[in-house]
Amino acid sequence: MTKLLGVIGDPIAHSLSPVIHNGWLRDMGFNAVYEAMQVPEGEFQNALKTLENRDCLGINITLPHKANALRCASEASDTAQRIGAANTLTFRGGNTWRADNTDVPGFIKALGALDPDRDRAVVLGAGGSARAIVHALSVHGIELTILNRTVSKAEALAHDLGARGTKADDIDQYKDYLESATIVINTTSMGYGGNSLELPIGNNRTFFDISYGKISAPQLEHAAARGWQVKDGLTMLVAQAAFSFEIWFGEMPDLAAGLNRCRAALRATS
Ligand code: NDP
């Protein structure tokens, strides 16, 4: 019997998750199919009920359902509980689901080696994705500043999930903080409006924009031209998918193959 997997969100049409997961399912010979499912806010619980009757193994969850996914689960990882959001549900039979958050290990995998004695991070933005990132950096003992347009949200995030000493300020002050940072992570959605930040000289420091494709391209081109080591969000997207896949199948898939398929899919649609 072919098992069902998928991603639930709204909007969802442009999700790369089916490309990533169906590629791995084919490569590794698992009898399952991964679908994108558009589910409006307020309909999440009904969608779970439907999936419980459809040989569903598990699902990924994206905007706007991540907090609701955690609430609907009967069991949850410590990380998902701490962040207050789940991006992975695994069906446990009956009407029970287990919640995990693979955005955290996905982000760390994409970022690469961290050194708490050397690294100082600036997180730009304080929305849903910043919660997982602030938690991940705090757990790794990284000194951290959160900068956001709405300062009260940065302060609340620093209080909720930052380590002791995590600072919060207005994103307009970013130049003051970037000078001493070794890693800058842009989690804002400013790229959707065609906005980007003018950066100081990078000297090989890391600028990681968790958006990808056309949204992050102008910011990353500018960062690279100023001498930053740049990363886009595709690596994080593929890594969080890989950790979900491992939860469902007990095996880690090939990250490079997933990344290549995503880049090919983006090229084909640009
Ligand atoms: P949210 O809507 O939760 O947060 C958006 C953040 O961007 C807020 O901090 C908001 O500030 C800030 N912002 C929006 N517009 C501007 C602007 N013009 N200037 C300054 N700040 C701005 O979004 P998410 O955190 O869920 O997602 C953010 C981005 O990350 C999206 O592009 C998304 O695609 C990407 N993403 C990538 C993932 C990956 O795996 N690679 C995973 C999840 C998200 P304020 O609080 O003041 O409104």
Side-chain angles (χ1 to χ4, degrees):
M1 181 76 77
T2 304
K3 292 282 183 189
L4 177 65
L5 294 159
V7 57
I8 289 185
D10 189 17
I12 202 67
H14 295 102
S15 171
L16 288 168
S17 294
V19 170
I20 299 170
H21 281 278
N22 285 321
W24 287 333
L25 291 169
R26 275 196 307 275
D27 290 348
M28 296 166 78
F30 288 110
N31 185 13
V33 63
Y34 188 104
E35 294 175 3
M37 307 172 204
Q38 183 168 2
V39 174
E41 199 155 16
E43 289 297 320
F44 185 75
Q45 218 155 349
N46 287 339
L48 282 190
K49 291 270 155 289
T50 306
L51 292 171
E52 285 160 13
N53 298 311
R54 283 197 55 197
D55 268 314
C56 181
L57 205 58
I59 47 167
N60 288 127
I61 303 96
T62 188
L63 283 175
H65 301 300
K66 285 188 178 184
N68 208 9
L70 178 65
R71 282 194 289 273
C72 290
S74 46
E75 188 193 329
S77 68
D78 291 345
T79 303
Q81 290 182 51
R82 183 91 180 86
I83 295 168
N87 76 329
T88 306
L89 286 179
T90 307
F91 186 44
R92 293 286 204 219
N95 59 355
T96 60
W97 297 81
R98 177 189 159 87
D100 286 279
N101 191 310
T102 66
D103 287 331
V104 173
F107 165 71
I108 292 294
K109 179 84 182 167
L111 184 57
L114 280 168
D115 180 354
D117 293 329
R118 185 188 65 100
D119 285 324
R120 278 194 295 272
V122 167
V123 175
L124 304 168
S129 59
R131 289 186 71 76
I133 287 167
V134 166
H135 174 71
L137 292 168
S138 299
V139 165
H140 280 77
I142 304 300
E143 196 181 314
L144 185 59
T145 302
I146 306 164
L147 303 176
N148 197 42
R149 184 175 60 178
T150 311
V151 184
S152 58
K153 286 196 201 164
E155 289 168 345
L157 180 52
H159 176 266
D160 287 355
L161 293 171
R164 266 183 68 194
T166 297
K167 298 188 205 74
D169 205 341
D170 194 316
I171 198 168
D172 286 348
Q173 306 301 319
Y174 74 97
K175 284 190 177 161
D176 297 347
Y177 292 95
L178 258 45
E179 287 305 337
S180 61
T182 60
I183 302 166
V184 178
I185 302 130
N186 183 19
T187 76
T188 73
S189 42
M190 69 169 74
Y192 284 90
N195 299 309
S196 56
L197 297 176
E198 193 196 313
L199 299 175
I201 296 292
N203 285 329
N204 266 337
R205 293 178 290 160
T206 299
F207 188 93
F208 184 175
D209 195 318
I210 71 159
S211 297
Y212 47 82
K214 286 183 209 149
I215 306 304
S216 65
Q219 180 71 78
L220 290 177
E221 278 163 24
H222 167 72
R226 300 289 283 164
W228 294 78
Q229 291 284 342
V230 297
K231 290 175 193 283
D232 73 3
L234 270 191
T235 336
M236 176 176 165
L237 182 78
V238 172
Q240 62 78 30
F243 286 112
S244 296
F245 193 96
E246 190 185 30
I247 288 170
W248 296 326
F249 294 103
E251 285 181 51
M252 199 64 175
D254 182 343
L255 273 88
L259 196 56
N260 286 339
R261 287 190 184 104
C262 285
R263 297 220 186 275
L266 283 180
R267 273 196 304 276
T269 54
S270 66

